[in-house]
Amino acid sequence: MNVSEAIQQFFASLPARAASVLNSPIGGTLQIDLADGNRTEHWYVTLAPGSAQVSREEQRQADGVLTLSTELFEKLVTGREAGMAAVLRNEATFSGHVVLFLAFRRFLPTRPDVRDPRDAARDHVRRLA
């Protein structure tokens, strides 16, 4: 299985970005299983306040497991899809400590067409006035 350059760059960037992304008291290992046909590639991301470590070496036991296709994960890391929406559509599955998934998705870029609902509400109120 060939992992795209976008996915490799995403994982490589996590340790440097962790200090600005992970400011809550979070800790644990998230296993990310990227499926492509009948092959699955495993990535392990260990999160702690202000730090993230990425490994390809199998861990004893992960605190959470995110399973999705390689194609979908590439869309997540490039901002073309949203992680929570993919889970809700059952295109990705998550098991374990959900707080790890919620913390991990902070590393994912938002889609360009996504607006903060508070901004949308303010615009709506202005139009009514």
Side-chain angles (χ1 to χ4, degrees):
M1 175 186 324
N2 288 334
V3 175
S4 74
E5 188 173 325
I7 291 174
Q8 291 177 15
Q9 288 177 352
F10 171 78
F11 280 121
S13 75
L14 294 185
R17 296 173 46 216
S20 63
V21 174
L22 297 175
N23 51 15
S24 62
I26 183 78
T29 299
L30 176 63
Q31 177 179 324
I32 301 170
D33 292 341
L34 302 180
D36 189 6
N38 59 359
R39 295 195 58 196
T40 302
E41 189 169 294
H42 308 286
W43 293 79
Y44 300 90
V45 179
T46 301
L47 303 174
S51 78
Q53 297 175 7
V54 178
S55 173
R56 299 295 308 279
E57 294 180 28
E58 192 166 335
Q59 307 288 313
R60 273 201 236 149
Q61 184 175 0
D63 301 299
V65 179
L66 175 63
T67 305
L68 65 166
S69 71
T70 303
E71 179 183 355
L72 176 58
F73 193 69
E74 182 172 347
K75 289 178 182 178
L76 294 178
V77 302
T78 57
R80 294 178 289 154
E81 281 289 343
M84 186 60 76
V87 169
L88 292 174
R89 286 190 310 263
N90 207 29
E91 294 174 354
T93 60
F94 182 82
S95 62
H97 298 292
V98 72
V99 174
L100 286 174
F101 173 66
L102 297 175
F104 177 76
R105 73 186 185 126
R106 291 185 212 154
F107 286 102
L108 300 171
T110 57
R111 290 178 40 183
D113 60 342
V114 173
R115 293 183 59 203
D116 186 317
R118 294 169 292 197
D119 293 337
R122 287 183 197 109
D123 290 347
H124 179 71
V125 169
R126 281 188 207 113
R127 282 193 299 269
L128 292 176

